[in-house]
């Protein structure tokens, strides 16, 4: 790496090695460089070391990690390149926020809940002696808030983080990073957890700011669809190494490495899927699940208003909605976990009691639930086989041997290695855990399976395998499925019909192809327009 | 916020009222007859009956309770059966002496606990952390009289005879006029209370230091001193305040044993004497006082919790 290259680039990372204090390598020689005004996307799955590689650009290593070689060279706006890793902690601190700034993954956790947002931005300016006077700094706070599309006035600055929405919090985070006019920003999955409309807004803000101010951006993400919409160049990480790098066009259209190809294939696409043989809804037969006029109110404010939907045998209905739309409340009502509703939930034409306590064992067996996070829905002290056996113990008269047999058969059905049956959940990967959770739901051969955001806690490639599994199971068993999600891109991959839930009401429903090609409601059109495509 | 604090205040007053009921009932159940305690075993039934009438002991229970409660509310704690003087006068000097002990112990142990907890949280996993954690666990496991006796052995008798082991208070002279005799009682109370605060502070602070906003503050380039004082400490104080409150409230009761141990002329000593003499009025006054300290300290902790949490601060009602 010659000095000349280093001068041209705002950030040069060469052969960076990081290991844990016990000597296990985390990064095995990572190299990348970013020019001013350029966006480099660092793509990889959880555990690939991408966040470690990003934080190293600020000379920061999390607890238990130590640098083991390589260089990080950052170039301030006006000045000579500085070797980040050779500086002491004091000197690194003076570069953080001024030369290299960081935008965190979850703004709700990263903003100090007890400080007003204006104060948190002003604090960066004060720490680095930006501007000559307090008035000048106050003006800069207002200016940078306006730049990210927020009101810069005094009243807004006096708000606390909990008084802002997720998207606004993230833009405060961006304002904080851009306040001192850094030459490099590191964005660590800044749109994970935001709904698509907000995500589009945040991505646009980032793209605009980096281009306008000639800032080099390192954009860390696992979402290749987002990469396509923001990045100039892409580097793909696997097991602490960059396995492929190039322009976004090259990497996304002509991937060389098999891992990159797998990642790209796994991305759910609005236009993709298709291979799923969709059956025509059978109008005559009684639907397996019918919800009529269902309304719920929490403390006087309505959460669901007169919701009605049906799911036929072997059919999959995608219930689409953003956070706060009431989609989880709806599925909890169907499952009997929330009994304070009006309206009816009918199974094969027979109304169900509101609460699980008053449903018969047969009815309980017939409606099963898979939760969002496989990390918290499995009892950490029970082995997988024990967890899967619980519904059989509670709801059937099978003896021990028969139960064991059923458990083994179900685990095989969800393609879970029999060797894992005796393990505890924390010895399994996220995907394996979610398979176990699905097995637990399927072990009673339910008529209706409720899947509540079952893939949103998982990596993209794991998501693809879970979706495939659910599709196959539906084919084989003829289970009616209510698939609750915020991700419209999954529609063609799993569902026959879509119901769009907004503010507690179903604003649109119909066959997948119809809704995606010719959306009737403006909200659906907005969602489609904001969903990033490859 | 004002409504939230007002609610806590109302609850505190209600609890205090419940305590007056309990205290009154408890003293009713106390064995022995005050009139007999005053007049001695040889008293004639007539004289006892006369004294009963004089002390108002013949009136129905609820009337006696209301009379007493009315007195408490207006600051009249009644007349001591044993010494025949007003309780307030009797306890005035004692309360001041105990308060000195309590306030000194509270201030020192809180400051030391918070500082030591923060310091070890910042040195997690290093030798200093292990040493402090181990030592605080050992000290926390010892009851106050063991610590007190150990300190007496160590600092005022055989090993280093530096400090007085009992308090000598000539009448009319306040205890704090000889500061050296305050050292051992205060030190005992500090050693009982500070380890809990230290351990709790270390645990809470460790959690806060691992939080996203502390990492973010460091990545913003905020100087480490400000990261600790502005971003970490305020979030650790809220939960720890509850523990401090429980500990300080314990001090109010724990002081009884420690005062006895060091012959310290405070309310603890007065309580023990009063119980021995069947001095009902004094027992009631002191019990109520200790309960009031409990309640006030807990109220303060709640207010600190509310003040350090902007979500509660801005909440309209709950």
């Amino acid at each position: 790496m010659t000095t000349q290259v280093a001068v041209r680039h705002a950030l040069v990372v060469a052969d960076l090695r990081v290991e844990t204090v016990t000597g296990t390598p985390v990064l095995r020689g990572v190299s990348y460089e970013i020019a001013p005004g350029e966006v480099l996307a660092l793509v990889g799955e959880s555990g690939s070391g991408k966040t470690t590689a990003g934080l190293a650009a600020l000379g920061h290593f999390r607890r238990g990690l130590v640098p083991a070689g390589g260089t990080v060279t950052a170039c301030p706006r006006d000045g000579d390149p500085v070797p980040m890793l050779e500086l002491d902690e004091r000197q690194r601190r003076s570069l953080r926020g001024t030369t290299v700034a960081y935008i965190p993954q979850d703004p709700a956790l990263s903003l100090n809940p007890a400080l007003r947002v204006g104060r948190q931005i002003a604090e960066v300016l004060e720490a680095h002696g930006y501007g000559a006077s307090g008035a000048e700094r106050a003006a800069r706070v207002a200016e940078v808030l306006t730049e990210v599309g927020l009101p810069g006035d005094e009243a807004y600055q006096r708000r606390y983080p909990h008084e802002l929405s997720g998207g606004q919090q993230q833009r405060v985070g961006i304002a904080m990073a851009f306040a001192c006019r850094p030459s490099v920003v590191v964005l660590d999955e800044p749109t994970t957890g935001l709904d698509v409309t907000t995500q589009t807004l945040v991505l646009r803000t980032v793209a605009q700011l980096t281009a306008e101010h000639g800032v080099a951006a390192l954009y860390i993400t696992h979402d290749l669809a987002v990469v396509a919409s923001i990045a100039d160049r892409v580097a793909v990480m696997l097991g602490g190494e960059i396995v492929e790098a190039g322009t976004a066009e090259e990497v996304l259209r002509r991937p060389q490495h098999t891992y990159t190809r797998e990642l790209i294939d796994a991305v759910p696409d609005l236009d993709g899927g298709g291979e799923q043989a969709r059956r025509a809804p059978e109008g005559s037969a009684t639907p397996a699940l019918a919800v009529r006029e269902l309304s719920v109110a929490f403390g006087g404010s309505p959460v669901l208003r007169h919701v009605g939907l049906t799911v036929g045998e072997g059919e999959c209905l995608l219930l689409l909605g953003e956070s706060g739309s009431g989609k989880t409340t709806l599925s909890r009502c169907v499952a009997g976990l929330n009994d304070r509703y009006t309206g009816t939930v009918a199974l094969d034409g027979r109304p169900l009691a509101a609460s699980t306590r008053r449903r018969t064992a047969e009815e309980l067996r017939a409606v099963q639930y898979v939760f969002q996070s496989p990390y918290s829905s499995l009892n950490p002290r029970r082995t997988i086989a024990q967890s899967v056996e619980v519904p059989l113990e509670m709801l059937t008269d099978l003896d021990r041997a028969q139960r064991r047999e059923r458990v083994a058969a179900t685990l095989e059905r969800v393609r879970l290695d029999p060797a894992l049956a005796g393990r505890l959940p924390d010895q399994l990967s996220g995907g394996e855990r979610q398979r176990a959770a699905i097995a637990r739901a399927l072990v009673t051969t339910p008529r209706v399976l409720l899947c509540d955001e079952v893939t949103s806690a998982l990596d993209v490639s794991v998501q693809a395998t879970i979706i495939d599994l659910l599709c196959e199971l539906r084919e084989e068993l003829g289970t009616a499925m209510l698939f609750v999600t915020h991700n419209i891109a999954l529609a063609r991959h799993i569902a026959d019909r879509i119901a769009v839930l907004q503010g507690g009401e179903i604003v649109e429903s119909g066959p997948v192809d119809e809704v995606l090609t010719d959306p009737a409601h403006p909200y659906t059109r907005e969602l489609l327009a904001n969903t990033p495509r490859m | 916020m004002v409504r939230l604090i007002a609610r806590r205040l109302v609850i505190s007053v209600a609890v205090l009222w419940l305590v007056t009921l309990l205290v009154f009932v408890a003293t009713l159940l106390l064995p022995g007859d005050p009139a007999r305690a005053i007049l001695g075993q040889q008293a004639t039934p007539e004289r006892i009956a006369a004294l009963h009438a004089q002390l108002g002991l013949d009136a129905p229970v609820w009337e006696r309770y209301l009379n007493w409660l009315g007195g408490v509310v207006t600051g009249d704690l009644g007349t001591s059966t044993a010494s025949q003087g007003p309780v307030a006068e009797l306890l005035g000097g004692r309360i001041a002496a105990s308060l000195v002990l309590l306030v000194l112990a509270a201030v020192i142990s809180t400051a030391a606990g918070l500082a030591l907890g923060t310091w070890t949280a910042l040195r997690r996993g290093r030798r200093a952390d292990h040493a402090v954690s181990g030592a605080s666990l050992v000290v926390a496991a010892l009851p106050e009289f063991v610590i007190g006796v150990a300190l007496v052995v160590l600092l005022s008798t055989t090993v280093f005879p530096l400090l007085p082991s009992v308090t000598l208070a000539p009448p009319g002279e306040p205890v704090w006029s000889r500061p050296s005799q305050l050292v051992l009682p205060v030190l005992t109370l500090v050693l009982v209370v500070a380890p809990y605060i230290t351990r709790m502070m270390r645990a809470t602070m460790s959690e806060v230091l691992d939080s996203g906003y502390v990492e973010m503050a460091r990545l913003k380039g905020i100087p480490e001193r400000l990261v600790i004082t502005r971003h970490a400490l305020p979030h650790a104080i809220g939960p720890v305040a509850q523990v401090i409150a429980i500990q300080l409230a314990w001090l109010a009761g724990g002081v009884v044993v420690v005062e006895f141990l060091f012959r310290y002329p405070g309310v603890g000593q007065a309580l023990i004497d009063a119980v021995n003499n069947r001095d009902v009025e004094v027992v009631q006054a002191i019990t109520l006082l200790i309960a009031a300290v409990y309640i006030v300290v807990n109220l303060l902790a709640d207010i600190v919790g509310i003040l350090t949490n902007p979500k509660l601060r801005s909440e309209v009602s709950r």
Side-chain angles (χ1 to χ4, degrees):
Chain A
M1 200 61 54
T2 62
T3 347
Q4 217 173 358
V5 178
V7 170
R8 233 190 60 225
H9 289 111
L11 179 71
V12 179
V13 172
D15 196 31
L16 180 68
R17 288 162 191 281
V18 175
E19 51 187 42
T20 64
V21 279
T22 52
T24 318
V26 174
L27 295 185
R28 308 156 189 268
V30 167
S31 305
Y32 61 85
E33 61 280 316
I34 318 172
E38 187 182 48
V39 179
L40 171 70
L42 197 56
V43 182
E45 301 196 337
S46 5
S48 63
K50 55 190 196 303
T51 294
T52 307
L55 286 175
L58 292 97
H60 179 75
F61 301 91
R62 288 200 170 142
R63 273 172 69 80
L65 297 179
V66 284
T71 58
V72 174
T73 315
C75 192
R77 251 167 216 284
D78 40 1
D80 299 326
V82 279
M84 204 71 168
L85 300 184
E86 287 164 30
L87 304 178
D88 62 29
E89 194 56 32
R90 238 184 97 79
Q91 291 165 309
R92 284 184 206 180
R93 180 184 78 66
S94 69
L95 291 175
R96 287 177 196 151
T98 45
T99 300
V100 189
Y102 181 74
I103 295 169
Q105 172 165 11
D106 192 341
L109 297 178
S110 304
L111 292 177
N112 187 332
L115 282 184
R116 301 176 193 281
V117 293
R119 190 79 206 82
Q120 298 197 42
I121 300 173
E123 184 184 52
V124 195
L125 302 172
E126 279 162 23
H128 297 293
Y130 183 99
S133 63
E136 200 175 319
R137 284 193 284 271
R140 176 63 187 152
V141 172
E143 183 189 22
V144 78
L145 276 173
T146 323
E147 275 180 354
V148 296
L150 294 174
D153 59 76
E154 184 74 15
Y156 196 85
Q157 291 186 27
R158 289 183 59 78
R159 292 206 193 173
Y160 285 100
H162 72 269
E163 294 168 314
L164 308 181
S165 71
Q168 289 172 326
Q169 287 175 347
Q170 191 53 287
R171 278 184 284 164
V172 168
I174 295 172
M176 212 152 73
F178 279 89
C180 282
R181 306 184 190 280
S183 55
V184 181
V185 290
V186 175
L187 301 104
D188 191 356
E189 309 219 19
T191 62
T192 308
L194 300 181
D195 49 48
V196 283
T197 316
T198 320
Q199 167 170 298
T200 310
L201 204 61
V202 168
L203 287 179
R204 209 174 288 153
T205 311
V206 169
Q208 190 190 343
L209 283 175
T210 47
E212 256 173 41
H213 301 289
V215 175
L218 179 67
Y219 194 101
I220 298 168
T221 182
H222 69 274
D223 190 343
L224 282 164
V226 168
V227 171
S229 68
I230 191 167
D232 301 308
R233 286 190 304 122
V234 179
V236 182
M237 277 193 84
L238 173 67
E241 281 176 293
I242 292 184
V243 293
E244 180 162 3
T247 65
E249 181 69 18
E250 275 167 16
V251 175
L252 296 181
R253 301 285 164 234
R254 293 179 295 282
Q256 302 299 312
H257 198 276
T258 36
Y259 177 68
T260 316
R261 277 200 287 274
E262 276 171 33
L263 271 187
I264 291 172
D265 289 341
V267 176
D269 199 29
L270 273 177
D271 313 314
E275 75 278 354
Q276 213 44 56
R278 264 180 282 278
R279 56 184 74 197
E282 293 150 45
S284 56
T286 321
L289 175 72
V291 174
R292 267 186 297 275
E293 286 288 313
L294 192 134
S295 299
V296 176
F298 290 149
S301 55
V303 177
L304 291 172
R305 302 165 218 234
H306 311 292
V307 169
L309 52 83
T310 59
V311 191
E313 190 179 344
E315 189 190 37
C316 177
L317 175 71
L318 186 95
L319 182 65
L320 185 74
E322 297 189 338
S323 33
S325 62
K327 56 190 195 302
T328 292
T329 307
L330 177 56
S331 41
R332 289 175 65 89
C333 288
V334 173
L337 296 172
N338 177 0
D339 58 358
R340 289 187 294 176
Y341 63 82
T342 58
T344 54
V345 175
L347 181 72
D348 291 322
R350 291 188 310 279
L352 290 173
S355 160
T356 46
R357 278 187 223 159
R358 296 181 31 222
R359 293 186 185 177
T360 64
E362 189 196 340
E363 285 168 345
L364 290 173
R365 283 202 301 272
V367 181
Q368 288 291 322
Y369 203 108
V370 184
F371 292 87
Q372 171 168 6
S373 169
Y375 298 94
S376 54
S377 68
L378 292 169
N379 186 334
R381 291 181 186 282
R382 282 207 177 120
T383 66
I384 296 303
Q386 283 169 344
S387 277
V388 175
E389 199 183 331
V390 171
L392 293 178
E393 276 169 40
M394 309 304 282
L395 302 174
T396 66
D397 304 325
L398 300 178
D399 65 33
R400 215 185 160 94
Q402 287 170 313
R403 291 202 302 259
R404 291 247 167 104
E405 201 177 308
R406 276 279 277 282
V407 168
T410 314
L411 288 179
E412 198 189 319
R413 175 153 275 157
V414 299
R415 326 274 184 278
L416 203 61
D417 188 344
L420 299 179
R423 302 261 185 96
L424 293 173
D426 63 357
Q427 295 166 313
L428 269 60
S429 71
E432 287 165 346
R433 285 187 211 202
Q434 197 57 295
R435 278 168 199 271
I438 293 171
R440 181 177 55 185
L442 285 179
V443 76
T444 59
T445 50
R447 299 270 296 126
V448 178
L449 188 62
L450 305 166
C451 300
D452 185 8
E453 295 269 18
V454 291
T455 60
S456 53
L458 304 173
D459 274 323
V460 180
S461 61
V462 182
Q463 165 174 289
T465 61
I466 294 289
I467 295 281
D468 286 346
L469 174 70
L470 288 174
C471 287
E472 284 169 34
L473 292 173
R474 180 159 70 98
E475 280 303 284
E476 283 170 34
L477 306 171
T479 316
M481 207 182 326
L482 183 66
F483 191 89
V484 179
T485 183
H486 68 280
N487 189 353
I488 198 171
L490 292 173
R492 279 213 168 89
H493 297 264
I494 187 148
D496 308 306
R497 286 191 300 125
I498 296 190
V500 183
L501 195 62
Q502 187 203 15
E505 280 174 291
I506 295 207
V507 294
E508 174 155 16
S509 69
V512 167
D513 282 325
E514 223 168 83
V515 174
L516 291 192
T517 48
D518 187 20
H521 195 273
Y523 177 70
T524 321
R525 281 202 287 274
E526 186 189 309
L527 280 181
L528 281 170
N530 285 321
T531 301
R533 291 164 195 247
M534 292 281 289
Chain B
M1 170 175 69
V2 176
R3 279 180 65 172
L4 210 56
I5 292 177
R7 266 179 63 131
R8 291 283 193 282
L9 264 175
V10 170
I11 292 172
S12 299
V13 171
V15 170
L16 205 54
W17 173 72
L18 272 178
V19 169
T20 64
L21 262 182
L22 282 175
V23 165
F24 189 79
V25 171
T27 46
L28 279 183
L29 297 174
L30 213 60
D33 180 352
R36 188 169 285 284
I38 294 169
L39 298 171
Q41 292 301 320
Q42 311 304 323
T44 60
E46 293 77 45
R47 290 199 57 193
I48 288 180
L51 192 58
H52 269 186
Q54 189 194 332
L55 295 174
L57 293 176
D58 293 333
V61 171
W62 61 268
E63 200 183 311
R64 282 161 61 194
Y65 171 70
L66 284 183
N67 277 338
W68 174 68
L69 187 65
V72 168
V73 173
T74 51
D76 172 20
L77 294 169
T79 312
S80 158
T81 5
S83 70
Q84 297 297 319
V87 173
E89 207 168 281
L90 187 83
L91 288 181
R94 299 292 192 117
I95 292 173
S98 279
L99 266 184
V100 169
L101 201 61
L102 281 185
V103 170
L104 276 177
V107 169
I108 295 175
S109 56
T110 306
L114 293 184
L116 212 54
T118 307
W119 187 71
T120 46
L122 288 168
R123 275 161 194 73
R124 236 179 312 165
R126 298 208 216 146
R127 214 175 301 160
D129 173 33
H130 291 308
V132 172
S133 296
S136 65
L137 189 62
V138 169
V139 177
L142 297 173
E144 65 271 29
F145 51 86
V146 174
I147 294 180
V149 170
L151 284 178
V152 168
V153 169
L154 194 67
L155 293 175
S156 73
T157 55
T158 45
V159 191
F160 304 107
L162 300 172
L163 296 161
S165 66
V166 286
T167 320
L168 302 167
E173 191 184 328
V175 272
W176 52 91
S177 59
R178 299 184 193 178
S180 70
Q181 58 189 13
L182 285 172
V183 173
L184 281 184
V186 169
L187 192 59
T188 308
L189 288 174
V190 167
L191 281 179
V192 173
V193 170
Y196 290 101
I197 300 178
T198 307
R199 295 178 67 79
M200 187 65 193
M201 188 62 188
R202 180 189 174 276
T204 318
M205 193 69 181
S206 301
E207 211 172 281
V208 172
L209 286 173
D210 281 342
S211 71
Y213 48 86
V214 168
E215 183 175 55
M216 190 61 224
R218 287 190 172 135
L219 292 175
K220 269 154 66 173
I222 307 294
E224 189 65 17
R225 191 175 45 80
L226 277 182
V227 171
I228 303 299
T229 54
R230 190 185 289 164
H231 292 270
L233 273 178
H235 294 278
I237 296 282
V240 174
Q242 300 291 335
V243 171
I244 295 178
I246 294 169
Q247 292 300 312
L248 296 191
W250 176 87
L251 272 184
V255 80
V256 176
V257 174
V258 173
E259 285 181 1
F260 182 73
L261 190 67
F262 291 99
R263 296 261 157 252
Y264 189 89
V267 286
Q269 275 284 324
L271 180 61
I272 292 168
D273 293 344
V275 170
N276 288 337
N277 297 337
R278 299 279 173 279
D279 198 344
V280 175
E281 309 289 333
V282 175
V283 173
Q284 283 173 338
I286 295 178
T287 324
L288 201 57
L289 187 74
I290 292 178
V293 171
Y294 256 86
I295 289 164
V296 168
V297 164
N298 277 306
L299 179 69
L300 285 178
D302 279 347
I303 292 176
V304 168
I306 292 168
L307 288 180
T308 53
N309 186 341
K311 268 188 204 166
L312 290 180
R313 226 187 296 161
S314 57
E315 212 163 325
V316 188
S317 65
R318 209 175 58 149

